Each structure stands twice: as structure tokens, then as C-alpha cells.
Amino acid sequence: MNTLAHIFGAMAVSDLPVRAVAGAFPGAPVGSLAGAPVHEVPAALPTLSTVAAQLQYGAATGITNYAGLMIAIPLVSALFLLVAGRRVDAWGHWLSVLASWVAFGIGGGVLVEMLGRAPEARAQAVTLWQWLPGTELQVNFGLLLDPLSISFVMLVTFVGSLIHVYSVGYMEHDPDRRRFFAYLNLFVAAMLTLVLGNSYLVLFMGWEGVGLASYLLIGFWNQVHNNALAAKKAFVMNRVGDLGLLIAMMAMFARFGAVDFATVLGEPAGNSGGIPWATFIGMFLLLAACGKSAQFPLQAWLGDAMAGPTPVSALIHAATMVTAGVYLMVRSGAIYVQTPVAALAVAIIGAITLVFGAVVGCAKDDMKKVLAASTMSQIGYMMLGAGLGPVGWAFAIFHLVMHGFFKAQLFLAAGCVMHAMSDQVNMRRFGGLRRVMKITWFAFLVGWLAILGIPPFSGFFSKDKIIEAAFLPNPHYGEWYPWVFGLTALVGAGITAFYMSRLFFLIFHGSPRWTTELEGAPVHPHEANAWMTVPLLVLSVFSIAAGGVLSVGNVFVQWLDPVLSVSAASLGASGEHAAHPEPVLPEMVLLVLTLTVVVIGALLAYVLFLRREVSRAIPAAGAIVSAARNDLYQDVVNEKVVIVPVMTLARGVEVTDSRVVDGLVEATGWLTQWLGRIGSAVHTGAPRRYAAWTLAGTVAALCLVLVTRL
């Protein structure tokens, strides 16, 4: 009991410093991407009591006034393509491509203008219209443009536009290409709404929009029954997470009377009414993130989502849907610094998922499902970074951006392989494609080295910093904290190197194991057209150089600093910070260890899948590999733990409704009819019978009086 009291007592710490969402604290780095250790934090930062006054965003100026067009243009394009129908089949996809690039251009203009302002003046608000003019809850449909949101805007529109271009070639012969491009535009518009909204309610509109767009795109080829089932599975599992976001918003309204960022993130949640509000809100926000970002235990939909066209997979995994949960966690950081319990839950979920996805990726033979498992694992790293607190926030976002480049590149390269191999995805029937697909091989090579974290590729500068931050002690927990999370992240890096190397070697190296005409599926591998290969080469540039460039002078951390800046230690009564903890292992030791486990993982894959003959058939496996092939039986667990009990409850409710509720209603009707029949027997219309009944009643009454008198 004392332990529980201690835990819940730590849930709402109103004196903890929080991040300045409006960009109020320039020059206070939370870490370094190159040079200073990640544990270096500013010596003094404001507390929650001073943040509220600084969470007032400046009025939009210049091109920022037109930021709403970034959402409106792709949205209008999507609606037009859907309404116009077959009449615009010949050129509709070009309108979609143009709309996406125009959104990118506007975002670029906003970015340039933002860079021209002082760091403390970079956050600006645009109110589009008064949405809910109620007396108790007033919500304006507005946009918040700050370094965090514009970073997502540039990722979504740039990578999304390259995927649009790639899709021109990939969907060239599909009769429903126009509809596909309409859905792509809808996806981009919804994601931009999510990251640009100035309140949780506007964010929720985009949140639901990406859920709808993903359903439409995953099930795009719904003439195949399994594709339709995959879309439905993703849609339903995301509704569980959406319920978490709704409950969190209800709690915000109950506590703050508002759902806008300025109010919710600028005031201490406190512990009023005996409710630890920060923990309550933080836990349900985490549930929402688990659904949208395919984190444990709501990750089972992600592998099945590979049923959609490959450009959809690239868009979902690299630039839109699954990154939304990480954005939600980091944007809500001011809540999590008040509740060590909820922050710990975020870190635990991230750690579990990064290992879960890595283990599953080791056993899959479906090329796209391996990449899906890797996304699950890499998002787990980002969630771990977000759960580590202020020291991990910038690294989580940095890895998200870098991951967006190389994961889009890997998926699009996989699409080129499918295009060359008659839409086959079984890696055991590939091999030797390097000789006939040199551009695709190069692009995949770059993405492979980036996700492994080999210097100087981008992943080295982002993922490795999360691993390093995981080895920092947490003042709220004991010595176990850095060892558990640090070693988990380190082991995950080694497993990632193994399964991604397995993927690379099985596809491009070794002897060809292609299907033949005798097997009824002859293939003639060839390089894809320029519409598909040029985006790969563009993404290669960013996968190679973006991480290093944005690490020079801590550019990316300093860029996010006005939004994420916060102390890693709580304020004492005197207002002074506690001593900053040092990593439990020296930074150079961690760097060497990480690269060592990565090299070991890659060498193990080299020995098993390149030096040895690869079986064309799926070999028999033990219990662990069989479990990994079946997603660690997550669907079975969901069936037994959730679906069966819910269905049993539903059947019980149905029986109660039909037998008890309906039975009572029917019994009332039967009793009424029975009384009616008695009444009709008495009321015959015969005067003599009425007189007899009257006489009998009178006699009975007199007898009753006499008996009572006696």
C-alpha cells in the first residue's frame, strides 16, 4: 500500500519544468547530435507556472497566413477526382501529383519564413474559423505552425510527393488509378490536418482522416477477399486507439475546460478530486498512440496492411499514419513530465514493441511483411525515446524524420522488385537480382545501411542517440532503469541488423531462385521505369547525407529546441536543479558496443543466408521460429483475450434482451390480455346478469361488515 501511495504521489508533480510549446526557450539544448553528450541539459528552465503565459502564439504573417492551403489543395483535389469519375481517368493522376507538390511548395515557403524569425517568435497560429462557439467549450479550427509541426509538414509533403510520382509508374496499368490518387491526396490532407491542428480536437479530425484513408488504400484491391479483411482489421483495431484519444479529450475538458494545446499544455494537471489527471490523460493518449502507430498490444494490423499497393505501404510507414502516435507523445510532452508513471509506460511499450517487431522480422519470408515488422520495431525506438523524457524527445523526432527517408526508399525499392518479379513477395524465390536491377539494388543498399545505423548514413545519427539516451538513469526510478531500457535498445539494434541483412541478401545476392515456367509463374526480372527509379535516387541522397548534415552544429536539436526545451531533472524547493545524471556507460563505449552488435548481426545473416544454400521451400522450424512466423500468436491472443470474451458478453446481452427484457414486455402484454378476457366475460350487456352481480356484491359486502363487527 505504501508503494502504491508513493507511485501515485509522483503522478502529478506541478513543479516539474515543462517544454515550451510556443518556442519560448531558445538556446537551451536538450542534447547533442554530434559533440556534446546527450545528457547535457540547460541549467535553468521555467516551471509550469510560467509556461502558460508563454504558450500564446504569435499572429501569422506572410505566407504563413496561407498555410491552410496545404490542407485544402490536396483535399479539394481528392474530392474532385472522386466526383468527376471516369471522365478524368486520362489525366486525373497528374492533378493529384500537382496538388501534393504545391502543398510541399507552400510548406517550404512557411519553413523559409520561419527560419527568418528569431527562435522565440517562430510559433505562429492561424485561426481558420470558429468551429464550436459554445459557452462551456469553445474551439476554433486553427493551425499551429512551429518547428515541430513544420518538420512533419516537410516530411509528409516531400516524401508523399515522391510517392505520388512513383505511383505514376507503379499504377500505370491499373484501371482505377484515378481513384487511387484521390485516396493518396486524401491521406496527405488528413495527415497535415493532424500535425498542424492547434488543439486535440482538430488533431482528432486528422487522426480519423488518416484512419479512413488507410482503410480505403489498404483495401484498394478489395475484389480480393483477404485485402478487404486486412482493411477492416486495420480500421477496427484503430478504433480501439481512437477511443483512448476521445477519453483523453473528455478528461482534458473535465480538468481544464478546454482541449487546445495552449491551455492543456500550459497548466499543471494537478491531482484535484483525488484523480491524478496527468496520469489519466497520459495513459489514454498512449492507448491512442498504440493503435495508430501499431505498438504493442495493438500492432497486429500492420503486417496485414501490406495487402494494399506498395506505394500505400511506403506512405503509411514512412510519412503518415504510423508516425502520428510519436507526434502525439512528443506534442503532449508537457503532460508526461508531470507523470513519471505514464512516461514509464510509454518507454515500456516502446521497448516491448521494438523487440517484438525485430523478432517477427527475423522469421518472415514475405518481403513486405519483413519491412512492416521493421517499421513496428523502429517506431518502438521512437516511442522509447519519447518515454525517456525531455532528453529523448528530439532524438525520437530526428529518428522519425530519418526513418521516413530510408523506410520510404526500402518500400519503394521492394515495389520495384515486385514489379520485376510478377508481384511475388517470397524472398526465398528471389536472389541474384543485383545483376539485373542495379539502380534498385543501390537504393536498397543505401536504405539497408541507413536502418542498420552504419556511419555515415542517416540512421547512425538518429537511432544510436536513442540507444545512448536509454542508458541515462531516471531520477524517479532505481538503477534498473538504464540497464533495462539501454540493453533492450542495444539488443534490438543487433536483431535489426540480422533480419535486415537477411532481407537484403535473400533478394539481391546469392544464386537466382526464380520461379520458372514449369512452376506456372515464369519471371523476367528487369529494372523499373524512370517514374519509379528517380524517387529512389532522390531518397538515397537524404538517406546518405541528411543525418550528418542535420547533426553539424546540432542543427536539428537547436531547430526543435524552442518547442521541446525542458530540464531532465525536477526543480527542488529552492528552484535549483538536481545534479544531471551521467550515462551508466561512457559514450564511446556505447558507440563501440552498438556498432559491434550491428556487425555481428549482419555477419550472422551473411553466414546463414549468403554463404549457405538457401532453401526454396519454407523449412521446418522450432517453436520460437514458428511463433515468430505467426506474429508471436498475437491474433490468437487477441481472439482469446478480447474477441471471445466480447462475443460471449454480446451473446449474453442478446439473451438478456430477448429472454428477460422482451420476456417482461411480453408478459405484461399477456397479463393485460388475460385481464381483458376476464373483463369481457363479465361485461355481457345483459341487465339481469348485471343485477345479479350487483346483488352478489351487496350481499358479500354486508357479510364482510357483519364478520368484522362480530
Side-chain angles (χ1 to χ4, degrees):
M1 190 68 178
N2 292 335
T3 302
L4 289 176
H6 173 74
I7 291 175
F8 279 91
M11 285 182 176
V13 187
S14 59
D15 287 334
L16 285 176
V18 301
R19 63 182 177 82
V21 178
F25 312 126
V30 298
S32 164
L33 292 175
V38 298
H39 63 276
E40 288 190 1
V41 292
L45 285 173
T47 62
L48 280 163
S49 59
T50 62
V51 170
Q54 299 175 4
L55 277 169
Q56 304 303 317
Y57 316 115
T61 58
I63 194 174
T64 307
N65 281 306
Y66 303 97
L69 292 176
M70 289 188 288
I71 300 172
I73 290 174
L75 178 60
V76 171
S77 172
L79 295 176
F80 173 78
L81 292 176
L82 292 174
V83 173
R86 296 291 183 187
R87 290 168 290 184
V88 298
D89 275 356
W91 53 269
H93 55 289
W94 293 116
L95 176 64
S96 175
V97 173
L98 177 63
S100 185
W101 280 112
V102 170
F104 169 72
I106 297 173
V110 173
L111 173 63
V112 170
E113 187 177 87
M114 189 177 292
L115 288 169
R117 296 194 295 267
E120 65 272 14
R122 283 176 177 165
Q124 293 192 336
V126 178
T127 299
L128 300 180
W129 66 80
Q130 191 177 37
W131 187 10
L132 300 178
T135 55
E136 294 188 12
L137 176 63
Q138 297 183 9
V139 179
N140 292 327
F141 196 102
L143 308 179
L144 170 61
L145 294 108
D146 62 7
L148 178 60
S149 62
I150 203 65
S151 296
F152 273 84
V153 166
M154 299 311 295
L155 175 67
V156 172
T157 56
F158 178 65
V159 174
S161 296
L162 288 175
I163 293 172
H164 276 68
V165 173
Y166 177 94
S167 299
V168 172
Y170 191 88
M171 302 294 289
E172 182 179 5
H173 302 295
D174 195 294
D176 292 316
R177 180 171 61 174
R178 168 197 48 83
R179 180 166 58 89
F180 177 81
F181 275 87
Y183 294 161
L184 287 184
N185 271 185
L186 178 63
F187 215 154
V188 170
M191 188 64 188
L192 291 176
T193 303
L194 190 157
V195 299
L196 285 171
N198 66 345
S199 70
Y200 285 97
L201 193 54
V202 179
L203 179 150
F204 185 71
M205 294 293 293
W207 193 271
E208 291 301 292
V210 297
L212 171 62
S214 67
Y215 171 76
L216 296 172
L217 285 167
I218 293 170
F220 183 75
W221 290 322
N222 53 31
Q223 66 272 20
V224 179
H225 183 61
N226 286 339
N227 295 350
L229 290 179
K232 184 170 68 173
K233 182 177 181 180
F235 190 79
V236 171
M237 293 197 74
N238 270 271
R239 298 292 74 74
V240 178
D242 295 350
L243 178 63
L245 185 51
L246 282 170
I247 294 174
M249 287 193 293
M250 294 175 191
M252 292 173 193
F253 177 68
R255 172 62 185 88
F256 303 104
V259 293
D260 60 282
F261 293 150
T263 302
V264 174
L265 303 179
E267 298 180 15
N271 203 21
S272 63
I275 300 175
W277 288 105
T279 300
F280 187 87
I281 294 171
M283 287 297 191
F284 280 103
L285 288 176
L286 174 58
L287 175 61
C290 287
K292 197 65 69 182
S293 291
Q295 298 293 283
F296 181 85
L298 298 177
Q299 81 288 353
W301 65 269
L302 191 62
D304 293 329
M306 297 303 97
T310 301
V312 175
S313 303
L315 193 59
I316 289 176
H317 289 246
T320 55
M321 189 168 175
V322 296
T323 64
V326 181
Y327 172 79
L328 181 66
M329 294 294 95
V330 175
R331 175 63 79 185
S332 305
I335 294 173
Y336 287 100
V337 294
Q338 302 174 66
T339 167
V341 171
L344 177 63
V346 176
I348 290 173
I349 291 297
I352 291 174
T353 310
L354 77 87
V355 175
F356 190 109
V359 170
V360 169
C362 290
K364 294 291 186 181
D365 293 314
D366 183 320
M367 171 178 58
K368 289 179 66 177
K369 290 192 175 183
V370 174
L371 291 175
S374 77
T375 297
M376 186 192 308
S377 181
Q378 295 303 305
I379 297 293
Y381 272 104
M382 301 169 205
M383 293 290 285
L384 173 60
L388 293 174
V391 73
W393 291 342
F395 303 131
I397 298 301
F398 187 54
H399 188 49
L400 184 150
V401 175
M402 296 303 103
H403 176 264
F405 295 134
F406 58 72
K407 184 49 64 67
Q409 181 176 6
L410 288 168
F411 264 113
L412 296 183
C416 291
V417 172
M418 291 177 62
H419 182 266
M421 301 294 286
S422 301
D423 288 331
Q424 295 182 33
V425 293
N426 184 2
M427 300 183 299
R428 293 186 176 276
R429 302 312 305 267
F430 292 163
L433 291 178
R434 177 177 62 88
R435 292 186 288 272
V436 292
M437 302 181 68
K438 295 187 182 300
I439 297 177
T440 303
W441 170 81
F442 171 77
F444 212 102
L445 171 69
V446 170
W448 170 59
L449 294 173
I451 198 171
L452 261 60
I454 301 297
F457 294 86
S458 295
F460 168 75
F461 296 95
S462 57
K463 185 175 70 175
D464 281 34
K465 284 300 179 180
I466 294 177
I467 296 174
E468 185 181 333
F471 277 97
L472 286 173
N474 186 302
H476 298 287
Y477 299 101
E479 296 180 356
W480 61 268
Y481 187 93
W483 292 108
V484 169
F485 290 117
L487 290 177
T488 300
L490 189 63
V491 170
I495 303 175
T496 299
F498 172 76
Y499 73 80
M500 289 303 298
S501 299
R502 172 179 179 264
L503 174 73
F504 181 64
F505 296 147
L506 286 178
I507 295 174
F508 293 101
H509 293 271
S511 58
R513 304 176 299 277
W514 309 338
T515 54
T516 64
E517 189 170 353
L518 293 176
E519 295 173 287
V523 294
H524 306 283
H526 57 281
E527 190 61 86
N529 58 52
W531 292 113
M532 299 169 67
T533 54
V534 170
L536 287 178
L537 296 176
V538 174
L539 288 168
S540 294
V541 174
F542 288 86
S543 296
I544 293 171
V549 170
L550 293 179
S551 296
V552 176
N554 311 324
V555 171
F556 195 78
V557 167
Q558 295 294 342
W559 163 250
L560 291 180
D561 207 29
V563 182
L564 306 182
S565 189
V566 67
S567 174
S570 61
L571 288 173
S574 64
E576 296 182 357
H577 291 278
H580 303 315
E582 296 284 338
V584 294
L585 291 175
E587 186 177 2
M588 185 55 64
V589 172
L590 290 175
L591 176 62
V592 172
L593 278 176
T594 303
L595 290 176
T596 300
V597 297
V598 166
V599 171
I600 290 173
L603 286 176
L604 182 59
Y606 173 81
V607 171
L608 293 178
F609 301 103
L610 198 55
R611 298 288 294 175
R612 296 181 183 179
E613 186 69 24
V614 176
S615 171
R616 301 187 182 203
I618 299 175
I624 296 177
V625 176
S626 295
R629 287 175 180 171
N630 290 280
D631 301 319
L632 300 182
Y633 302 113
Q634 187 63 44
D635 284 335
V636 176
V637 173
N638 291 338
E639 180 83 18
K640 301 296 183 183
V641 175
V642 179
I643 298 177
V644 171
V646 169
M647 293 298 293
T648 302
L649 177 63
R651 282 192 291 269
V653 171
E654 191 274 333
V655 170
T656 302
D657 180 63
S658 61
R659 302 291 177 83
V660 180
V661 178
D662 289 351
L664 288 174
V665 173
E666 291 173 359
T668 302
W670 179 85
L671 178 62
T672 303
Q673 290 179 341
W674 181 76
L675 292 174
R677 283 194 294 270
I678 294 176
S680 63
V682 173
H683 295 82
T684 61
R688 290 182 179 181
R689 181 167 294 186
Y690 292 161
W693 280 111
T694 302
L695 178 60
T698 302
V699 170
L702 289 173
C703 291
L704 180 63
V705 170
L706 288 174
V707 170
T708 55
R709 292 293 181 128
L710 293 176

